[in-house]
């Protein structure tokens, strides 16, 4: 099961995309679009992001921006209003409610046919929106995910995050070539306005549920590698842990909000959702079972002893304090694998302790 989760499914979806491709009929296409963004106490970042959005290479008369200040206690709203752009609308909410609740209200006032969903931290390439929009020339496409790239993956924990993200993008690209991706990149994706379904106020993974709702309505969700958002990877394991545990815990919440996700005949992406998402949540517990069973049976058969030694060797490599060894690619991959599964195990504990994960 562990092998299928991280290797078998990847090989299956790569083969499916290779032998049964379903290409997107893209062409230059410029429907009216509205960028939708929720922020909390991020005056400098919000201004920089809106300026970045205003600079996108897209017809100005067909593109505007709506921003929600989610119970901000700083000068975020005032800073945005000082931009004095007729294409920017700022809406303040007195109480902090979380991203999903803000997005539901913003979509009601967004005039665009296409909604550009973005976060405040990442910088978009100038052609990002144009590249996303070209996919909507295909009437079967309901949502398009952009690509998140990292500005610096030179070393340390950032290199591990970068390696994992490249693996993840490989899978998403194969999923898109053969049908639909399971989830979109929250930092940059676009969806047809009439397909957007408001989500419960406490939703963490609005990007996941939005994309699967689109597929449930009979449309495709694809991946556009040319639409790039630039972000900064986590520099330390502590930074990555906070971000990753919250997102992984959001998967448990998503199933609680929409139980139909795990029903084969109701979720069109059931096999991909289970293989790509849910099984990864199960792997840390499978690893524990493998470790215990291998230890018990270590002297009963060489196979179990080999499994036990392989596990102990992996732990030793991941915990290595030698800088030269820590930068060796196999060691980085083993360390990333162990860190990600540690986060997945913590995610279940986090969700059980606090199902209300939605606040920033």
């Amino acid at each position: 099961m562990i092998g299928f989760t991280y290797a078998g499914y990847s090989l299956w979806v790569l083969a499916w995309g290779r032998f049964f491709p379903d290409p997107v009929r893209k062409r230059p296409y410029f429907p009216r679009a509205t960028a939708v963004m929720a922020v909390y106490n991020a005056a400098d970042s919000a201004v920089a992001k809106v300026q970045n959005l205003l600079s996108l290479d897209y017809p100005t008369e067909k593109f505007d921006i709506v921003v929600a200040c989610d119970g901000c206690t700083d000068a975020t709203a005032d800073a945005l209003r000082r931009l004095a752009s007729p294409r920017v609308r700022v809406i303040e909410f007195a109480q902090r409610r979380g991203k999903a609740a803000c997005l539901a209200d913003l979509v009601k006032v967004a005039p665009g046919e296409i909604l550009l969903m973005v976060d405040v931290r990442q910088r978009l390439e100038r052609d990002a929106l144009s590249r996303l929009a070209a996919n909507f020339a295909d009437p079967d496409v309901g949502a398009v995910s952009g690509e998140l790239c990292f500005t610096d993956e030179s070393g340390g924990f950032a290199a591990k995050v970068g390696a994992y993200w490249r693996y993840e993008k490989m899978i998403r690209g194969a999923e898109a070539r053969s049908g639909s991706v399971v989830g979109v990149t929250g930092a940059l994706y676009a969806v047809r306005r009439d397909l957007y379904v408001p989500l419960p106020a406490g939703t963490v993974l609005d990007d996941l549920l939005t994309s699967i709702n689109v597929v449930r309505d009979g449309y495709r969700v694809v991946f556009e590698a040319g639409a790039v958002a630039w972000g900064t990877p986590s520099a330390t394991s502590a930074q990555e842990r906070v971000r990753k545990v919250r997102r992984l815990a959001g998967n448990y919440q998503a199933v609680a909000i929409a139980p139909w996700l795990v029903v084969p005949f109701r979720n069109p992406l059931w096999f991909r959702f289970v293989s790509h998402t849910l099984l990864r949540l199960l792997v840390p517990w499978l690893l524990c079972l493998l470790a215990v069973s291998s230890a018990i049976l270590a002297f009963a058969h060489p196979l179990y002893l080999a499994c036990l030694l392989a596990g102990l060797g992996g732990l030793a490599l991941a915990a290595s304090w030698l800088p030269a060894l820590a930068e060796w690619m196999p060691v980085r991959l083993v360390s990333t694998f162990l860190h990600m599964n540690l986060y997945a195990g913590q995610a279940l504990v986090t969700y059980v302790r606090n199902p209300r994960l939605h606040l920033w």
Side-chain angles (χ1 to χ4, degrees):
M1 188 67 75
I2 295 169
F4 173 78
T5 301
Y6 283 99
Y9 174 69
S10 305
L11 293 174
W12 176 85
V13 76
L14 285 168
W16 198 266
R18 173 69 177 82
F19 296 109
F20 303 99
D22 189 4
V24 178
R25 294 162 287 177
K26 295 190 290 185
R27 62 176 174 80
Y29 183 60
F30 301 98
R32 185 168 185 183
T34 299
V36 177
M37 181 174 67
V39 299
Y40 172 71
N41 285 358
D44 293 339
S45 299
V47 169
K49 182 56 176 276
V50 170
Q51 290 173 332
N52 173 226
L53 291 171
L54 290 172
S55 71
L56 295 182
D57 184 15
Y58 202 83
T60 57
E61 71 277 7
K62 292 186 176 182
F63 180 52
D64 56 2
I65 303 163
V66 290
V67 182
C69 292
D70 185 26
C72 295
T73 57
D74 66 355
T76 299
D78 291 337
L80 290 171
R81 290 192 179 101
R82 281 197 292 272
L83 292 173
S85 171
R87 293 197 287 148
V88 179
R89 180 176 178 182
V90 180
I91 301 176
E92 289 187 84
F93 297 104
Q95 293 185 335
R96 186 179 171 197
R97 301 177 300 155
K99 181 180 178 182
C102 290
L103 293 181
D105 288 337
L106 291 181
V107 169
K108 295 176 183 177
V109 300
E113 174 188 344
I114 301 299
L115 301 174
L116 177 65
M117 302 295 200
V118 294
D119 287 337
V120 71
R121 298 180 304 276
Q122 297 80 14
R123 177 182 60 82
L124 308 189
E125 290 284 357
R126 293 192 69 244
D127 62 350
L129 177 54
S130 298
R131 288 181 175 272
L132 291 176
N135 291 269
F136 289 106
D138 187 333
D140 293 334
V141 172
V144 187
S145 175
E147 178 172 6
L148 176 62
C149 295
F150 293 129
T151 55
D152 182 13
E153 301 177 16
S154 56
F157 198 79
K160 300 174 185 178
V161 175
Y164 175 81
W165 187 233
R166 287 192 294 274
Y167 164 78
E168 180 66 21
K169 288 191 291 188
M170 175 192 71
I171 296 175
R172 292 190 183 191
E175 288 176 340
R177 287 192 296 274
S178 59
S180 290
V181 296
V182 172
V184 293
T185 302
L188 175 62
Y189 72 98
V191 59
R192 295 186 190 272
R193 187 182 188 281
D194 57 358
L195 295 180
Y196 180 83
V197 178
L199 301 171
T203 304
V204 172
L205 298 185
D206 55 279
D207 46 4
L208 172 66
L209 288 175
T210 294
S211 61
I212 294 186
N213 281 333
V214 167
V215 177
R216 187 175 61 167
D217 286 341
Y219 293 81
R220 293 180 64 187
V221 178
V222 298
F223 177 68
E224 175 55 64
V228 176
W230 290 97
T232 303
S234 302
T236 66
S237 60
Q239 291 178 350
E240 181 67 5
R241 184 186 69 82
V242 173
R243 187 192 71 82
K244 197 67 178 179
V245 168
R246 182 177 182 274
R247 182 163 185 86
L248 289 170
N251 287 299
Y252 291 105
Q253 184 203 53
V255 172
I257 291 173
W260 58 267
L261 290 173
V262 297
V263 179
F265 299 105
R266 294 192 61 192
N267 181 357
L269 296 180
W270 179 83
F271 178 72
R272 298 186 180 201
F273 176 69
V274 170
S275 302
H276 191 165
T277 302
L278 295 188
L279 288 185
R280 292 190 189 183
L281 300 175
L282 185 61
V283 166
W285 313 110
L286 294 175
L287 289 170
C288 292
L289 180 61
L290 178 63
V292 172
S293 60
S294 297
I296 294 173
L297 299 170
F299 298 103
H301 193 282
L303 173 64
Y304 306 119
L305 179 61
C307 288
L308 179 63
L309 293 176
L312 294 174
L315 288 173
L317 285 175
S320 174
W321 54 269
L322 294 174
L325 189 60
E327 293 302 316
W328 189 34
M329 177 58 73
V331 176
R332 291 199 330 219
L333 292 177
V334 170
S335 179
T336 302
F337 176 79
L338 292 177
H339 273 98
M340 294 304 172
N341 281 287
L342 178 62
Y343 303 152
Q346 292 175 321
L348 176 58
V349 178
T350 298
Y351 177 69
V352 170
R353 293 176 59 184
N354 178 27
R356 297 182 70 254
L357 303 161
H358 65 285
L359 291 182
W360 309 75

